[in-house]
Amino acid sequence: MFARDNLVALVERTSEGYGSIGGTGVWTERGLAYLVWREERAYLAGKGFEEPATDEQVAAMRRFSEDLKAAL
């Protein structure tokens, strides 16, 4: 697991090092949520809840994912 601020991503470990990167999640007051899109609108969806994602949250998740891919 890799984390930055309130963002997390699971990464596969392989015999060569790191493998595929899972989806980026965000820790919210209600628990871990993942970004989903419905009718061109971003939402944070977790167990038992869904809430609209802000543009800032979407941008932060994208930056974290891109940074993680570049680092690995």
Side-chain angles (χ1 to χ4, degrees), residues 26 28 33-38 40-45 49-62:
V26 60
T28 71
Y34 289 93
L35 188 64
V36 297
W37 293 87
R38 300 196 196 297
E40 300 183 27
R41 178 73 177 108
Y43 292 88
L44 296 175
F49 73 96
E50 185 174 291
E51 59 190 49
T54 66
D55 292 340
E56 293 80 16
Q57 288 171 316
V58 173
M61 293 175 83
R62 286 183 175 158

